[in-house]
Amino acid sequence: MQIHDLPYPDPGVPDARSGPRFLWWLFRNQLGGQLKSLAWGLLHFASVASLPFCVGVAVQAAVDRSGGRLALAGGLMALACVGNAVGDTFLHRSAVTNWITAAARVQQLLGRKAAVLGSVLTRRVAAGEVVAVSTGDVEKIGWFVEAVSRFTAAAVTVVAVTVGLLVYQPALGVVVAAGLPVLALAVLPLLPKATRRADVQREKAGRATELASDTVAGLRVLRGIGGEDLFLDRYRRASQEVRHAAVRSARMWSLIAAVQVLLPGLLLVTVVWYGVHLARDGRIAVGELVTVYSSVMLLTYPLRHFEEIAMAYSFSRPSARRAARVLSLERATDTAGTRAAETPAGDLYDPETGLCASSGLLTAVVCGDPDAAGRLAERLGGHAAQEGTSVLLGGVPLDELPLDSARTAVLVQDKDPVLLSGTLRELLDVPASGAVDPRAALEAAQCQDVLAALVQGSLGAEDPMDARITERGRSLSGGQRQRLALARSLVTDPEVLVLDEPTSAVDSHTEARIAQGVRGLRSGRTTVVFTSSPLLLDRADRVVFLHEGTVVAVGGHRELVRAEPRYRAVVTRETEEETASAAGLRAGGPGTDMVPRGLEELEELEEIEETA
């Protein structure tokens, strides 16, 4: 796999049982790239390791006044330099390729998992942790996967040079062979403490990221209630904790780096001292001493990769553990499904609550508990987060269909839809039947003022479809974002469209026009709207009222306002005293013929709309 071939056609099924298993799975899935990196690494390190031999031959040739051997040494040195340059260049290219492709594979896996889980993801894992995994953790995981092949090449080179020195000059080779394992293993006792400090730093950084994400997401609300300074102080404290943890971690890693510098220096001093002693006794030649000294000096370069692999693993292990935790999350139902892929049609029925949305009609659902309404809306889309009885569409259990088929048949727009940055054309470029024109969907969602605002805020955008939307639509009001999200859902034109409070942030006049527009555009299609707005309810073909998780009344809005006190209490926000008073009036007190408050408000809004 090369960088230009990304993304992967299929990133595979990860081994998410633990962090180390996930890292090993990534390595195995990049075996071709790892072998290529290993080959170039061996060429590079072997070329570096051969330079001392060339220098030693040259020095001895100069001492012996041998021009032929000096020329041979020069040729070998030139060949080693070429091998070093070529090996280093292509080692870097292959290593970076391994890094980027490993990171891209993890990002694809995380993206697919987020798409499968949907809103379930942030219910099980904090949003800050998800952000940390998809950004910084991905790079650290890629770093370790990339560093393995370079470390392997360095380790093979160290062993080969050590064996070569034992053969070339046994007296000094023994000293080197005894000292190198000490150099390689000296930092091992320090690694557990360094790893623990790195884990603490990662944990605190994750909490700070989560706090920052939550603060930014709720900044408008915080400003409204005067809590902005409180949360900023919390983030400052969390940031300082991260800084202190990073300093403590850096101190340990600086100690490890110091050990990696000190011990090779001591080994060099020992080799030089013992080598000079042997040279005085005539037991080794000057060229041999230079060769051994140069070899030990250059071996500090591949030995640095022992420190790097230790750092890479200690940093990537908690990152891989977090990634594996996210990737191991599953829905309560099998997203592959037990039925063949199909797009059923017909009535949408929920056996758990008794809710039935007739095919081709606009059904409004009133539920006094917003959380229960959100859970029901999610269940209507199939493959809910919690185990339970499957919703039926045309008699077909949605949980038994593949997740893609269930989502094609039933589209659920939750109460907090997200707008991605880009142009309006890109926002509306979603999988759709093609039967609904984007401009018709925008008109039905009453987005005329939104288009004008987008054009005004985008330089050089004459066509509203080319106007740019900022990240999460932050430059727009809540009602404008809500209407754009509604238009996006209408463009898809699914068999069943489920809308959870789609007009909670718009004014009554706009809400009335949206209700009419959605009704006209979705004519002949099944639409379910969770709402307590009288304007939407009055334009629905039928209204279903749920109380304590069960359907207790079905009918028209005006009929239910008159006949069902609990329904009227939810729709008109009546207090318990007002409900009791109305019940007393209906029991025979004065004013029995008075019109319920919900209908009075509805008639007033209709009069205002007609006047406008």
Side-chain angles (χ1 to χ4, degrees):
M1 172 62 71
Q2 298 298 318
I3 295 177
H4 59 76
D5 296 325
L6 296 174
Y8 289 94
D10 180 12
V13 180
D15 186 348
R17 289 176 290 177
S18 66
R21 289 178 183 271
F22 179 60
L23 291 174
W24 174 240
W25 177 84
L26 282 175
F27 178 82
R28 286 190 290 107
N29 278 269
Q30 284 191 325
L31 196 55
Q34 295 291 343
L35 292 176
K36 185 185 297 184
S37 182
L38 175 61
W40 291 119
L42 288 174
L43 174 61
H44 169 59
F45 289 120
S47 300
V48 171
S50 65
L51 288 174
F53 174 75
C54 299
V55 172
V57 172
V59 170
Q60 193 61 44
V63 171
D64 297 341
R65 299 180 181 277
S66 173
R69 281 189 293 156
L70 187 60
L72 175 63
L76 292 175
M77 189 173 296
L79 183 63
C81 289
V82 172
N84 182 18
V86 173
D88 190 23
T89 299
F90 286 95
L91 171 61
H92 179 71
R93 287 173 60 92
S94 60
V96 170
T97 299
N98 288 337
W99 188 339
I100 293 177
T101 51
R105 187 188 294 272
V106 178
Q107 286 181 325
Q108 274 189 261
L109 291 170
L110 291 172
R112 292 195 176 190
K113 181 59 67 173
V116 168
L117 294 176
S119 60
V120 179
L121 178 60
T122 51
R123 296 179 191 172
R124 299 184 182 178
V125 181
E129 184 169 346
V130 177
V131 173
V133 171
S134 59
T135 53
D137 285 344
V138 167
E139 293 187 4
K140 294 177 179 64
I141 292 170
W143 176 28
F144 174 74
V145 174
E146 170 266 329
V148 170
S149 56
R150 287 191 289 113
F151 163 73
T152 305
V156 171
T157 301
V158 169
V159 173
V161 170
T162 303
V163 173
L165 289 177
L166 285 171
V167 175
Y168 178 71
Q169 179 45 251
L172 288 177
V174 171
V175 177
V176 175
L180 286 178
V182 176
L183 298 184
L185 303 177
V187 298
L188 289 183
L190 301 176
L191 286 179
K193 191 171 184 179
T195 301
R196 286 195 297 270
R197 291 190 178 184
D199 289 347
V200 171
Q201 179 190 351
R202 295 293 172 277
E203 181 181 352
K204 292 183 178 296
R207 286 203 296 265
T209 303
E210 179 182 350
L211 181 59
S213 177
D214 293 342
T215 302
V216 171
L219 195 56
R220 291 187 178 182
V221 177
L222 292 175
R223 286 176 176 171
I225 62 176
E228 182 180 4
D229 292 337
L230 174 62
F231 274 78
L232 287 178
D233 288 339
R234 288 183 180 179
Y235 180 73
R236 289 191 188 99
R237 290 195 297 271
S239 178
Q240 289 301 313
E241 290 180 3
V242 174
R243 183 179 67 84
H244 290 307
V247 170
R248 293 186 73 247
S249 179
R251 286 174 180 169
M252 184 56 63
W253 288 111
S254 63
L255 176 60
I256 292 175
V259 171
Q260 290 288 333
V261 173
L262 176 63
L263 293 184
L266 294 177
L267 179 59
L268 277 175
V269 171
T270 303
V271 168
V272 171
W273 175 81
Y274 186 54
V276 170
H277 177 71
L278 294 177
R280 284 179 177 178
D281 294 342
R283 295 168 60 183
I284 64 171
V286 175
E288 293 175 336
L289 175 59
V290 172
T291 299
V292 175
Y293 169 79
S294 301
S295 298
V296 175
M297 183 177 64
L298 290 180
L299 277 179
T300 57
Y301 170 59
L303 281 173
R304 292 175 192 168
H305 291 78
F306 286 73
E307 177 190 354
E308 182 194 14
I309 197 67
M311 291 182 64
Y313 181 71
S314 64
F315 277 87
S316 65
R317 186 173 59 85
S319 297
R321 184 174 64 246
R322 283 195 291 264
R325 179 190 173 195
V326 174
L327 294 175
S328 64
L329 298 177
E330 297 291 346
R331 282 184 173 269
T333 56
D334 181 11
T335 55
T338 56
R339 288 175 174 262
E342 61 174 307
T343 306
D347 295 345
L348 183 68
Y349 176 65
D350 177 31
E352 188 170 325
T353 60
L355 170 65
C356 180
S358 300
S359 177
L361 299 182
L362 173 59
T363 302
V365 180
V366 177
C367 182
D369 183 358
D371 293 334
R375 291 191 296 270
L376 176 56
E378 181 188 11
R379 190 163 66 250
L380 292 179
H383 295 280
Q386 301 175 350
E387 293 185 0
T389 306
S390 175
V391 171
L392 307 177
L393 178 59
V396 178
L398 289 178
D399 290 354
E400 296 181 6
L401 293 174
L403 182 61
D404 290 344
S405 299
R407 285 182 170 172
T408 300
V410 182
L411 173 65
V412 179
Q413 176 184 303
D414 60 27
K415 63 181 63 178
D416 296 312
V418 176
L419 301 182
L420 301 179
S421 59
T423 65
L424 182 57
R425 193 184 309 277
E426 292 170 340
L427 176 71
L428 301 180
D429 184 16
V430 292
S433 66
V436 178
D437 183 74
R439 296 185 186 274
L442 291 168
E443 183 178 354
Q446 299 300 307
C447 294
Q448 293 84 351
D449 63 316
V450 186
L451 300 182
L454 289 175
V455 171
Q456 185 177 3
S458 301
L459 296 177
E462 298 180 359
D463 187 349
M465 299 300 289
D466 296 325
R468 294 199 64 82
I469 300 172
T470 57
E471 181 184 1
R472 299 178 68 90
R474 296 191 188 280
S475 61
L476 303 173
S477 67
Q480 291 173 326
R481 289 196 299 270
Q482 203 170 53
R483 282 177 280 165
L484 283 180
L486 175 59
R488 180 178 57 187
S489 298
L490 293 174
V491 166
T492 60
D493 189 38
E495 182 67 30
V496 179
L497 177 60
V498 179
L499 304 171
D500 189 2
E501 295 289 354
T503 59
S504 59
V506 301
D507 59 80
S508 58
H509 297 291
T510 306
E511 188 175 35
R513 292 193 291 269
I514 289 175
Q516 196 63 34
V518 171
R519 182 183 177 90
L521 196 65
R522 292 287 299 172
S523 177
R525 291 288 205 180
T526 307
T527 308
V528 180
V529 182
F530 286 82
T531 184
S532 58
S533 166
L535 289 171
L536 287 177
L537 295 171
D538 192 54
R539 284 162 176 76
D541 294 312
R542 60 201 301 264
V543 178
V544 178
F545 176 55
L546 280 80
H547 182 68
E548 296 182 353
T550 305
V551 173
V552 294
V554 178
H557 168 63
R558 298 170 185 257
E559 172 190 350
L560 292 177
V561 166
R562 290 190 173 94
E564 178 54 64
R566 292 172 296 183
Y567 174 83
R568 183 172 60 255
V570 173
V571 172
T572 64
R573 278 77 171 177
E574 280 185 352
T575 63
E576 293 182 1
E577 292 78 5
E578 290 173 329
T579 303
S581 175
L585 291 174
R586 286 191 302 275
T592 306
D593 297 329
M594 67 184 299
V595 180
R597 191 176 73 181
L599 294 183
E600 287 181 340
E601 294 176 348
L602 182 60
E603 291 169 356
E604 290 176 3
L605 290 173
E606 288 176 342
E607 291 177 2
I608 294 174
E609 181 187 352
E610 291 174 359
T611 303

